[in-house]
């Protein structure tokens, strides 16, 4: 606490105005004292001797003249071993421990240590006395589940340091001093296994930022094949309510090929977090043989929890993501929903009586969104290892209209856009990502020319469908009709995927490549079909067989059996192959 | 004895301002005027200026009227004595019974720790195929009926309430028409459910601010019963009136509106209420069924739009039927995996075909020749609407599933359904 004293002079929703004497820092943490309780708050505006605070708790019961204490510290998270598997609220309060202490309900003013101070960790030093280190360099490691958790020189250490002492291998607590460092002026700095970092400041203790060019595999066909995401990239999922944003993120959080997943449940339903919370400890990650929970951190500030803490929650999440990136790990941050975060900003901006922008969002909305996504990236660390933070955020546009400010501001900065469509979700075409409107700037794992060929069929099929609405089926040529059937086929058996089917839910890159080759064959085949009726029936059969195929285990006997049936069915009607496709195939096999 | 203030400095909308000391945010006061007494709640503090929203409205309040602060926030009495009783929006009896004053509990309490929630697992059977088969309702779900005025949403609400196996029914009425209030009362009475019901009813002729209290008071009581192990069903009708009351206060307080005059915190305000739906580990549960009438039949209007983002789905009522499109139960996958092996697949396949039917219908209306396939779809659509969508159908889920297969077999070949071969082998009806 600082010397500064304050007292409440006004309360308006979750904003409290405080008269103070002494020094106050912008964005420092302060506590409003109400009876026995101290309510955590953040200074968000200073005018003369008045400070406006956003209170991270319910403000009921606060009165004029209640005392306010200032800490002088910015809002920070505690970093160190033991973050994985945690379930925190937006301010890093551990929710299960809170439940043990307070029962069913969230009691305000109770703040628990985010990391266990009792637990010991098996420390192995990686430096010796006399070594020279900088911020972000490891002085040792501890095993945290399957990961080697690096114990690093705190990111706030801006000098170059010489190691004066370092503990030998052994079991220590996060608060034990593991090393002493001497700075260039000769001052000694003891360091422990944990330290704090302000959430709104990006961590930049790396050597170089690289271009995101490796795919982040989600095992969702439409994404990996057509609109891929890159490790260290950014993407957004806007969509009207019920279109499938949350389900899409949930399956991604299970199946994505990354080391660590940070889930930021930001201002949406608590029930959705419960699914993850209860199921992840039971689900085995086939890549590691350990439970999914062991690679997951959940930041949970759902819709009925205090709004100001919701605003902080995405920053808490991204800071933890950056921390693990500093260990040479690939981290995926999934935020659901960034619109609720934007709305939290809007509520505060309104209370501050700032001049409102479009739909009453603050004028700085765009720059805040941009700098948040800017915290994603793939980097080379000083020891040469590569780490990344990939950010995927859902957007919940008012009225499902993508023209609104949050969607627009997000689209300006992300590398991929997975737009969900109400039409597709109504027709139960899941995942309801619109295949024509969505885009990605990243490289995927299936040959680009082959996927472009598929996309072209989708566009042409869509044109035919539009035309048929005007001229009817009878006015459509057989050739066009088959293009339409091909596009429907691609949609039905490849773009659509059953998230609740044990096999179909997650499709490996290998399988995607393999299956897409056969899809490509269908798309590029000139078929020997005499009438529209015959064509429709034929494609129904194909669809049926592909669907069944999608449900068979990769490389199983049934898989091979179904494949054979499909190949036979194609061969029966094959007259030839489109010229363009032959050229593409030649190039692919040549390279 | 708390101090009485007798100088009201401003009156605007339903908000009054007095100069007072030692007042706390959210505290209640009693305002006495020539027309009687009303409760009021502190909604803003600025130095010694205290703004209060007056539950009975500010009409007839004079600058010289008395304001007495009560030193506590809004409370309601909680005990089994509530059962069978009818109250108004601020908890006063409207059935002529005695006022309840024992065991007062605060309303609008903190939210449940997400770590203490459990995954909902119990299906609520309604006998309505559009619900049981296509959008199963689950205990502890929060789900509104989206509707335009004039649709039979209150009868639907009452029908589900009577069919559901719950211990206690709480009706929170907001801007309820008197006839509708009587309808609920009669229906529950005839069903023998009145003695396990509690009504908090704000009618269309009551002061608007009281409407704001109805969800909180209903849910606070529901929460206590749930903690005692009861399965509680809360009916909130019509939440659009609640949202409009919020808008009115926001405008009075000169808040910057975000969308069509509604305050920027509409989402958080609605969420604070709907999120009270819960299944408590080791205790009871709260299920919330609401009604949201859509102004101008526009689902993108801020009230249904924000609601849709908060609730776990919605039933879209139109022309007296629950529409397959727009209707959604987000929790259906929690329960429909354990009903019957064909449930999920049949549900999806039938809806996909119904979507195709709608397209054929559109083509037909534009005068195009119908192909063989279109004709199949037209036949299917008609049967689907009659046997699945008509609200007079009242059958168990299993029968609805069997009917589904029969309808498919009547209209299509196996491949045309898009269902997987293993399911077809097992469930396709043999003639
Ligand atoms: N991939 C999917 N497969 C099957 N059903 C889905 C899928 N995605 C969404 N749904 C259905 O739609 C509902 C709403 O999805 P959700 O992700 O919660 O929507 P949003 O987050 O966009 O509001 C889900 O509860 C589920 O019933
Ligand atoms: Mg969602």
């Amino acid at each position: 606490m600082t010397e500064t004293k304050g007292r409440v002079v006004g309360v308006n929703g979750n904003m409290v105005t405080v008269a103070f004497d002494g020094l106050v820092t912008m964005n420092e943490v302060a506590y409003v004292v109400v009876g026995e309780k101290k309510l955590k708050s953040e200074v968000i505006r200073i005018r003369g001797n008045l400070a406006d605070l956003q209170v991270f708790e319910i403000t009921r019961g606060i009165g004029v003249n209640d005392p306010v204490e200032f800490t002088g510290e910015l809002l920070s998270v505690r970093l160190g071993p033991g973050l994985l598997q945690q379930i925190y609220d937006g301010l890093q309060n551990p929710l299960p421990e809170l439940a043990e202490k307070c029962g069913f309900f969230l009691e305000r003013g109770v703040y628990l240590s985010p990391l266990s101070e009792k637990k010991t960790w098996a420390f192995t030093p990686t430096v010796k006395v006399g070594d020279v280190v900088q911020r972000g360099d490891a002085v040792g490691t501890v095993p945290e589940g399957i990961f080697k958790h690096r114990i690093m020189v705190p990111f706030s250490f801006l000098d170059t340091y010489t190691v004066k002492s370092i503990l030998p291998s052994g079991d220590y607590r996060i608060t034990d001093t593991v090393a002493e460092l001497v700075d260039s002026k000769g001052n000694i700095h003891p360091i422990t296994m944990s330290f704090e970092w302000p959430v709104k400041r990006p961590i930049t203790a790396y050597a170089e930022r690289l271009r995101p060019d490796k795919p982040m595999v989600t095992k969702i066909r439409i994404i990996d094949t057509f609109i891929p995401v890159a490790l260290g990239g950014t993407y957004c999922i806007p969509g009207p309510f019920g279109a499938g944003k949350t389900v899409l993120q949930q399956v991604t959080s299970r199946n994505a090929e990354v080391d660590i997943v940070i889930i930021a449940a930001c201002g949406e339903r608590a029930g959705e977090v419960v699914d993850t919370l209860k199921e992840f400890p039971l689900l085995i990650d086939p890549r590691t043989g350990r439970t999914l929970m062991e690679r997951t951190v959940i930041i949970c500030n759902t819709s009925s929890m205090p709004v100001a803490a919701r605003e902080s929650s995405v920053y808490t999440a991204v800071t933890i993501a950056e921390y693990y990136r500093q260990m040479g790990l690939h981290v995926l941050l999934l935020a659901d929903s960034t619109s609720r975060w934007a709305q939290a900003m809007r509520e505060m901006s309104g209370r501050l009586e700032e001049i409102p922008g479009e739909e009453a969002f603050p004028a700085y909305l765009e720059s805040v969104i941009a700098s948040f996504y800017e915290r994603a990236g793939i980097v080379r660390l000083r020891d040469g290892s590569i780490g990344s933070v990939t950010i995927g955020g859902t957007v919940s546009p008012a009225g499902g209209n993508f023209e609104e400010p949050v969607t627009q501001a997000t689209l300006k900065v992300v590398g991929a856009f997975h737009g969900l469509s109400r039409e597709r979700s109504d027709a139960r075409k899941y995942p309801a990502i619109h295949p024509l409107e969505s885009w990605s700037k990243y490289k995927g794992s299936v040959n680009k020319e082959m996927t472009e060929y598929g996309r072209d069929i989708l566009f042409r099929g869509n044109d035919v469908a539009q035309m048929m609405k005007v001229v009817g089926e009878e006015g459509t040529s057989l050739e066009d009709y088959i293009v339409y059937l091909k596009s429907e086929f691609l949609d039905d058996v490849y773009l659509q995927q059953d998230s609740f089917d044990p096999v179909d839910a997650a499709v490996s890159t290998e399988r995607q490549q393999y299956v897409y080759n056969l899809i490509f064959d269908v798309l590029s085949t000139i078929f020997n079909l005499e009438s529209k009726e015959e064509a429709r029936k034929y494609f129904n059969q194909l669809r049926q067989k592909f669907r069944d195929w999608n449900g068979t285990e990769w490389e199983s006997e049934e898989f091979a059996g179904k494949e054979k049936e499909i190949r036979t069915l194609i061969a029966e009607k094959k007259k030839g192959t489109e010229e363009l496709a032959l050229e593409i195939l030649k190039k692919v096999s040549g390279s | 004895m708390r101090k009485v203030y007798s100088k009201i400095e401003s009156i605007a909308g339903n908000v009054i301002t007095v100069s007072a000391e030692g007042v706390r945010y959210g505290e209640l006061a009693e305002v006495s005027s020539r027309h009687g007494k009303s409760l009021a709640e502190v909604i803003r503090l600025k130095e010694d200026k205290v703004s209060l929203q007056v539950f009975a409205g500010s009409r007839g309040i004079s600058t010289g009227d008395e304001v007495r602060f009560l030193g506590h926030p809004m409370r309601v009495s909680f005990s089994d004595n509530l059962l069978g009783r009818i109250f108004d929006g601020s908890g006063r009896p409207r059935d002529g019974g005695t006022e309840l004053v024992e065991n007062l509990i605060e309303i609008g309490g903190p939210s449940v720790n997400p770590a203490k929630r459990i995954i909902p697992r119990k299906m609520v059977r309604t006998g309505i195929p559009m619900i049981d088969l296509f959008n199963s309702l689950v205990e502890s779900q929060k789900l509104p009926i989206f509707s335009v005025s004039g649709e039979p949403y209150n009868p639907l609400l009452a029908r589900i309430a009577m069919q559901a196996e719950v211990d206690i029914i709480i009706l929170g009425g907001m801007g309820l028409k008197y006839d509708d209030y009587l309808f609920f009362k009669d229906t529950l009475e005839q069903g023998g459910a009145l003695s396990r019901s509690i009504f908090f009813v704000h009618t269309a002729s009551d002061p608007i601010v009281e409407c704001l209290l109805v969800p909180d008071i209903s849910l606070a009581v529901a929460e206590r019963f749930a903690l005692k192990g009861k399965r509680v069903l809360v009916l909130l009708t019509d939440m659009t009136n609640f949202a409009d009351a919020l808008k009115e206060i926001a405008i009075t307080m000169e808040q910057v509106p975000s969308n069509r005059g509604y305050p920027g915190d509409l989402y958080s305000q609605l969420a604070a209420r709907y999120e009270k739906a819960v299944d408590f580990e080791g205790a009871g549960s709260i299920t919330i069924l609401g009604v949201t009438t859509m102004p101008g039949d526009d689902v993108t209007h801020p009230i249904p739009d924000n609601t849709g983002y908060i609730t776990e789905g919605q039933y879209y009522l139109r022309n007296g039927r629950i529409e397959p499109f727009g209707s959604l139960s987000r929790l259906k996958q929690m329960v429909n995996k354990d009903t019957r092996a064909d449930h999920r697949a049949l549900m999806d396949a039938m809806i996909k075909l119904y979507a195709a039917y709608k397209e054929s219908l559109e083509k037909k209306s534009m005068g195009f020749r119908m192909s063989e396939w279109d004709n199949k779809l037209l036949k299917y659509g008609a049967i689907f609407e009659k046997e699945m969508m008509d609200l007079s159908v009242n059958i168990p889920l299993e029968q609805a599933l069997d009917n589904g297969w029969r309808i498919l077999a009547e209209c299509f070949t196996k491949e045309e359904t898009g269902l997987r071969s293993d399911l077809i082998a097992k469930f396709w009806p043999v003639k």
Side-chain angles (χ1 to χ4, degrees):
Chain A
M1 296 297 156
T2 62
E3 297 289 296
T4 308
K5 293 270 165 289
R7 64 173 188 92
V8 173
V9 297
V11 187
N12 176 13
N14 60 347
M15 188 178 81
V16 166
T17 306
V18 178
F20 63 92
D21 59 26
L23 300 177
V24 167
T25 312
M26 184 63 173
N27 295 112
E28 78 170 283
V29 171
Y31 288 90
V32 179
V33 184
V34 187
E36 315 253 279
K37 290 268 159 71
K38 292 184 177 184
L39 309 182
K40 197 169 185 170
S41 321
E42 181 185 11
V43 175
I44 55 170
R45 182 166 65 188
I46 306 168
R47 289 180 300 182
N49 73 330
L50 293 182
D52 291 315
L53 274 54
Q54 63 171 345
V55 184
F56 296 121
E57 306 274 9
I58 298 170
T59 48
R60 185 187 276 182
I62 297 180
V64 170
N65 290 330
D66 281 348
V68 176
E69 297 171 356
F70 292 88
T71 66
E73 304 288 336
L74 300 184
L75 188 69
S76 299
V77 288
R78 184 114 183 243
L79 301 170
L83 289 166
L84 295 179
Q85 306 197 43
Q86 292 276 6
I87 300 145
Y88 292 126
D89 73 3
L91 302 174
Q92 217 193 0
N93 228 357
L95 289 171
E97 278 89 341
L98 200 67
E100 257 169 52
K101 206 171 154 174
C102 307
F104 281 119
F105 297 96
L106 293 167
E107 204 173 293
R108 65 177 179 172
V110 182
Y111 308 109
L112 304 175
S113 169
L115 296 171
S116 164
E117 293 181 353
K118 294 204 192 87
K119 187 173 166 144
T120 59
W121 298 87
F123 177 78
T124 310
T126 54
V127 292
K128 21 179 224 316
V129 172
D131 281 358
V132 175
V133 291
Q134 290 181 14
R135 66 188 191 131
D137 289 350
V139 299
T141 63
V142 301
E144 182 180 15
I146 55 168
F147 303 105
K148 241 188 201 170
H149 188 116
R150 294 186 189 174
I151 304 302
M152 293 176 272
V153 177
F155 308 138
S156 56
F157 281 38
L158 299 177
D159 206 350
T160 302
Y161 304 83
T162 313
V163 177
K164 177 170 180 282
S165 74
I166 176 89
L167 284 183
S169 295
D171 292 338
Y172 308 108
R173 287 188 249 254
I174 57 165
T175 46
D176 293 335
T177 296
V178 291
E180 287 172 303
L181 308 179
V182 185
D183 68 19
S184 56
K185 297 203 185 70
N187 302 315
I188 299 170
H189 304 269
I191 63 170
T192 66
M193 290 204 267
S194 88
F195 56 88
E196 302 213 332
W197 182 258
V199 292
K200 291 195 179 160
R201 191 168 293 167
I203 297 169
T204 53
Y206 48 75
E208 182 189 8
R209 217 174 134 165
L210 308 169
R211 211 160 58 87
D213 59 1
K214 284 185 208 64
M216 197 275 297
V217 174
T218 62
K219 301 200 182 153
I220 298 166
R221 283 189 293 255
I222 180 171
I223 296 179
D224 294 347
T225 304
F226 288 98
I227 36 174
V229 181
L231 286 172
T234 52
Y235 68 108
C236 69
I237 311 174
F241 61 81
K245 300 178 291 297
T246 303
V247 172
L248 199 55
Q249 286 214 332
Q250 280 172 343
V251 292
T252 307
S253 70
R254 283 175 192 215
N255 301 322
E257 290 190 352
V258 291
D259 297 310
I260 286 169
V261 178
I262 318 277
I263 297 172
C266 174
E268 299 260 318
R269 304 173 192 85
E272 294 169 344
V273 191
V274 181
D275 299 349
T276 307
L277 218 100
K278 304 277 163 169
E279 279 171 7
F280 273 29
L282 308 174
L283 291 173
I284 301 296
D285 180 358
R287 298 187 319 132
T288 59
R290 307 290 279 263
T291 72
L292 277 176
M293 204 60 204
E294 288 177 62
R295 69 163 201 176
T296 308
V297 185
I298 301 174
I299 312 294
C300 170
N301 218 97
T302 49
S303 59
S304 62
M305 290 163 76
V307 171
R310 185 199 296 170
E311 196 261 333
S312 315
S313 66
V314 297
Y315 294 106
T316 299
V318 74
T319 306
I320 295 174
E322 287 174 334
Y323 176 65
Y324 279 99
R325 179 199 66 197
Q326 292 300 120
M327 298 174 203
L329 297 171
H330 294 294
V331 187
L332 171 62
L333 165 61
L334 295 169
D336 186 12
S337 152
T338 61
S339 294
R340 305 304 161 215
W341 161 58
Q343 285 180 347
M345 280 189 267
R346 175 169 74 182
E347 280 187 35
M348 228 35 209
S349 168
R351 298 232 158 79
L352 290 171
E353 293 171 1
E354 293 173 341
I355 296 167
E358 220 182 316
E359 289 186 23
F361 283 106
Y364 44 80
L365 176 76
E366 248 182 49
S367 63
V368 173
I369 289 178
S371 44
F372 170 69
Y373 279 103
E374 202 40 38
R375 291 177 74 165
I378 181 160
V379 301
R380 193 168 49 77
L381 301 170
R382 275 172 29 89
D383 72 346
S385 55
I386 305 285
S388 69
V389 171
T390 308
I391 301 182
T394 66
V395 186
S396 317
N401 176 3
F402 291 179
E403 298 305 314
E404 59 85 49
V406 183
T407 315
Q408 287 303 314
T410 307
L411 281 178
K412 277 191 193 162
V413 295
V414 293
F417 160 58
H418 300 165
L420 301 191
S421 112
R422 160 74 70 228
E423 223 174 45
R424 288 180 70 83
S425 69
D426 269 349
R428 300 286 206 270
K429 295 182 179 173
Y430 294 119
I433 301 176
H434 201 294
L436 302 180
E437 282 165 19
S438 300
W439 49 257
S440 164
K441 296 178 186 162
Y442 302 118
K443 196 167 146 287
S445 34
V446 175
N447 178 280
K448 177 98 178 166
E449 282 185 74
M450 289 173 72
T451 58
E452 279 307 308
Y453 189 89
R455 252 173 100 91
D456 185 53
I457 299 253
L458 289 174
F459 275 104
R460 280 162 53 206
N462 182 55
D463 288 345
V464 176
Q466 295 307 323
M467 204 175 61
M468 274 201 290
K469 281 192 184 147
V470 184
V471 300
E473 212 174 286
E474 63 265 37
T476 308
S477 70
L478 177 60
E479 204 182 331
D480 279 352
Y481 189 70
I482 290 178
V483 170
Y484 163 75
L485 288 175
K486 281 178 176 174
S487 75
E488 289 286 291
F489 164 78
L490 172 58
D491 187 354
D492 278 338
V493 307
Y494 199 82
L495 303 185
Q496 293 173 41
Q497 189 172 346
D498 187 349
S499 305
F500 299 116
D501 180 273
V503 176
D504 202 32
V507 183
S508 67
T509 305
E510 256 182 310
R511 181 170 179 159
Q512 287 188 34
Q513 288 165 341
Y514 190 83
V515 171
Y516 191 73
N517 277 331
L518 196 51
I519 297 266
F520 185 78
D521 189 24
V522 173
L523 298 182
S524 61
T525 291
I526 303 166
F527 285 103
N528 195 3
L529 295 163
E530 306 278 308
S531 68
K532 286 177 203 156
E533 197 52 34
E534 188 195 352
R536 190 180 64 77
K537 286 200 172 127
Y538 178 72
F539 272 92
N540 270 344
Q541 275 182 310
L542 264 184
R543 176 180 69 175
Q544 182 79 15
K545 293 208 184 294
F546 260 93
R547 279 257 171 91
D548 292 343
W549 197 34
N550 283 341
T552 60
E553 206 79 56
W554 171 233
E555 291 185 322
S556 65
E557 226 171 88
E558 298 79 49
F559 182 87
K562 275 287 162 204
E563 181 182 346
K564 219 169 135 203
E565 283 180 33
I566 292 170
R567 288 193 187 276
T568 314
L569 187 63
I570 297 173
E572 270 171 26
K573 293 285 174 191
K574 197 176 185 104
K575 205 157 65 178
T577 305
E578 300 276 354
E579 203 58 45
L580 178 61
L582 287 175
E583 274 170 39
I584 294 175
L585 286 174
K586 212 181 287 165
K587 256 193 258 171
V588 172
S589 63
S591 63
Chain B
M1 192 60 206
R2 310 225 4 145
K3 219 174 144 187
V4 175
Y5 297 86
S6 59
K7 172 135 182 52
I8 296 176
E9 294 173 12
S10 82
I11 305 174
N14 292 317
V15 178
I16 61 170
T17 305
V18 294
S19 292
E21 270 163 25
V23 176
R24 306 216 151 253
Y25 192 68
E27 180 174 341
L28 277 193
E30 194 177 65
V31 183
S32 312
S33 75
R34 273 191 300 141
H35 307 282
K37 289 182 175 175
S38 168
L39 291 176
E41 186 182 31
V42 176
I43 57 170
R44 190 176 289 181
L45 293 173
K46 196 169 184 186
E47 290 288 359
D48 65 339
K49 298 275 182 288
V50 180
S51 302
L52 304 110
Q53 78 183 11
V54 185
F55 295 163
S58 58
R59 181 163 304 154
I61 290 188
S62 98
T63 50
D65 285 346
E66 286 186 349
V67 179
R68 191 167 64 89
F69 288 91
L70 303 179
H72 61 75
M74 183 66 193
R75 298 185 299 195
V76 60
S77 161
F78 170 75
S79 73
D80 284 349
N81 295 336
L82 288 169
L83 295 169
R85 296 288 312 269
I86 298 174
F87 306 91
D88 70 6
S90 30
R92 284 177 314 236
R94 73 182 313 147
D95 56 1
T98 54
E99 185 139 3
L100 300 178
V101 288
E102 77 270 20
N103 192 27
L104 293 167
I105 58 166
E106 278 187 25
I107 71 167
S111 54
V112 172
N113 186 329
K116 291 295 271 185
R117 288 175 177 262
I118 51 179
I119 301 182
R121 291 260 174 256
K122 278 176 243 134
M123 179 170 156
V124 178
R125 284 170 176 262
T126 66
I128 301 171
M130 287 318 289
I131 295 180
D132 293 357
L133 202 168
F134 295 99
N135 278 303
S136 316
L137 182 64
V138 181
E139 191 177 320
S140 87
Q141 190 159 13
K142 43 183 179 286
L143 189 142
I145 297 168
F146 278 9
S147 166
V148 288
S149 37
E151 293 285 340
Y153 47 82
N154 282 332
L156 178 60
L157 212 56
R159 174 170 167 195
I160 299 171
M162 292 310 305
Q163 213 122 346
E165 293 165 1
V166 293
D167 301 317
I168 290 171
I169 299 168
I170 297 180
L171 174 74
M174 288 150 282
L176 204 60
K177 286 201 219 70
Y178 207 82
D179 294 354
D180 286 344
Y181 155 58
L182 290 178
F183 163 79
F184 275 110
K185 198 166 151 239
D186 292 347
T187 311
L188 292 180
E189 196 154 30
Q190 278 156 23
L194 205 54
S195 61
R196 53 187 177 92
S197 302
I198 307 164
F199 284 31
F200 292 99
V201 173
H202 165 269
T203 67
S205 58
D206 296 336
I208 185 113
V209 185
E210 271 184 18
C211 168
L212 285 173
L213 298 169
V214 169
D216 284 339
I217 214 166
S218 307
L219 291 162
V221 168
E223 199 163 75
R224 289 304 174 109
F225 277 115
L227 286 170
K228 288 172 74 180
K230 300 287 187 216
R231 296 192 293 168
V232 188
L233 174 64
V234 180
L235 309 174
L236 297 175
T237 173
D238 166 355
M239 284 296 278
T240 298
N241 292 327
F242 170 77
D244 280 335
L246 280 177
K247 171 167 116 175
E248 198 178 303
I249 293 292
I251 289 173
T252 308
M253 297 304 287
E254 292 172 359
Q255 283 180 28
V256 185
S258 68
N259 203 339
R260 296 200 228 177
Y262 289 88
D265 66 354
L266 178 63
Y267 175 87
S268 302
Q269 293 285 359
L270 289 170
R273 277 75 191 192
Y274 282 117
E275 283 283 304
K276 290 276 176 196
V278 63
D279 202 343
F280 285 117
E281 190 157 18
S285 67
I286 302 176
T287 309
I288 302 179
L289 275 180
V291 167
T292 300
T293 50
M294 297 180 289
D297 195 12
D298 175 10
V299 73
T300 68
H301 181 280
I303 300 174
D305 188 51
N306 278 287
T307 305
Y309 277 116
I310 292 162
T311 54
E312 288 156 336
Q314 63 281 330
Y315 296 140
Y316 203 102
L317 186 66
R318 168 183 283 252
N319 300 326
R321 300 191 301 219
I322 297 176
E323 280 287 325
F325 305 131
S327 293
L328 169 72
S329 162
R330 292 169 188 268
L331 300 187
K332 60 178 180 286
Q333 57 266 23
M334 308 278 174
V335 295
N336 64 13
K337 61 179 188 295
D338 305 319
T339 47
R340 221 169 79 173
D342 56 333
H343 187 161
R344 268 190 192 166
L346 188 68
M347 159 185 94
D348 281 335
M350 291 194 82
I351 296 290
K352 279 186 189 170
L353 288 165
Y354 187 73
Y357 152 74
K358 284 283 190 186
E359 279 176 25
S360 294
L361 201 61
E362 199 186 320
K363 276 192 262 172
K364 190 179 171 200
S365 72
M366 294 176 68
F368 292 124
R369 199 169 67 219
M370 293 284 94
S371 65
E372 187 195 335
W373 175 237
D374 287 320
N375 282 324
K376 286 185 171 192
L377 287 170
L378 289 178
K379 176 177 173 194
Y380 167 75
I383 305 183
F384 184 88
E385 290 183 351
K386 184 161 158 287
E387 293 205 26
M388 292 292 176
M389 284 170 64
D390 196 312
L391 273 181
S392 67
V393 178
N394 189 350
I395 50 174
L397 168 71
E398 290 68 19
Q399 197 183 329
L401 288 169
D402 292 343
N403 289 355
W405 285 103
R406 180 177 46 71
I407 296 170
L408 289 182
E410 262 172 56
C411 303
F412 304 110
T413 66
K414 294 173 185 172
E415 287 97 14
E416 284 169 343
T417 62
L419 279 153
R420 282 224 307 247
S421 304
D422 49 343
L423 287 171
I424 290 183
K426 198 162 161 208
F427 291 99
W428 196 260
V430 276
K431 292 206 183 106

